[in-house]
Amino acid sequence: LEGCTFQGNSAVEDGGGLYTAEDLTLVDSTFVGNSAEYGGGAYLTRADLDVEGGRFTGNAASARGGGIYVFEGESRIDGTEFRENTAATEGGAIVFRDYELPPDEVTVSGAGFYDNEAGSGGAVSDYRVDSQYADCVFQGNTADEGGAIASGLGRVRLEDTMFLENEAEERGGAI
């Protein structure tokens, strides 16, 4: 999908703007003000995600993944902005979740995460994935745990990534 806009859409369960069980490539697409229980902007299940450019702004999940929820899929995100997305429990901007071995690979480069909010992982919540963040900015994200990133049972690699003014009520102001 290239140059698409998903705005003001909602779903009771998964994928307020978009739901798919097929591999997905998004190029310069915009997700604004969408909502769902899981994946306010987009929800992928057992599918790979490739995002180039674009933005996710003001999306909301009543549970997990305000902007994007990826369940058991490889992900590559490059040059995308995530701003003011919210989730009640995990991953204000994104949730990456995997229950199978080996863990899925997640690569995020040149992305900006600004003012996202969740119970855990204000910007991103990783579970059982190996993630790498390069040339990213995490600023002003908030959560009870992991103001910017909350990660469990996986590896997080960071390269030239800035964490600015993130906040956690309990632990891990940035990670």
Side-chain angles (χ1 to χ4, degrees):
L1 301 174
E2 186 169 352
C4 295
T5 299
F6 297 83
Q7 184 169 353
N9 302 289
S10 65
V12 173
E13 293 181 3
D14 304 329
L18 182 148
Y19 174 94
T20 187
E22 303 290 330
D23 294 349
L24 177 66
T25 299
L26 296 169
V27 178
D28 297 326
S29 292
T30 302
F31 289 74
V32 178
N34 301 289
S35 62
E37 183 177 13
Y38 294 89
Y43 184 100
L44 285 82
T45 182
R46 294 182 174 92
D48 294 343
L49 174 66
D50 189 3
V51 181
E52 298 175 19
R55 65 187 174 94
F56 288 75
T57 304
N59 299 289
S62 59
R64 299 178 176 137
I68 302 172
Y69 189 107
V70 179
F71 177 73
E72 294 183 354
E74 305 279 323
S75 297
R76 186 184 76 79
I77 297 173
D78 184 29
T80 306
E81 180 180 285
F82 296 86
R83 187 178 295 274
E84 298 175 357
N85 299 287
T86 61
T89 59
E90 296 177 26
I94 307 173
V95 167
F96 300 110
R97 188 166 287 265
D98 185 19
Y99 290 106
E100 298 187 6
L101 293 175
D104 288 328
E105 293 287 327
V106 170
T107 303
V108 181
S109 59
F113 297 86
Y114 307 99
D115 304 314
N116 299 286
E117 184 176 349
S120 177
V124 179
S125 176
D126 295 350
Y127 183 75
R128 292 185 70 165
V129 299
D130 288 340
S131 56
Q132 178 173 333
Y133 300 88
D135 301 311
C136 293
V137 175
F138 291 83
Q139 184 170 9
N141 301 289
T142 59
D144 294 334
E145 299 176 341
I149 299 173
S151 182
L153 300 177
R155 290 182 294 190
V156 176
R157 294 180 296 269
L158 302 169
E159 181 180 322
D160 297 324
T161 293
M162 294 191 298
F163 294 88
L164 309 167
E165 302 163 349
N166 299 287
E167 184 177 333
E169 290 290 320
E170 297 173 16
R171 51 192 154 273
I175 302 173

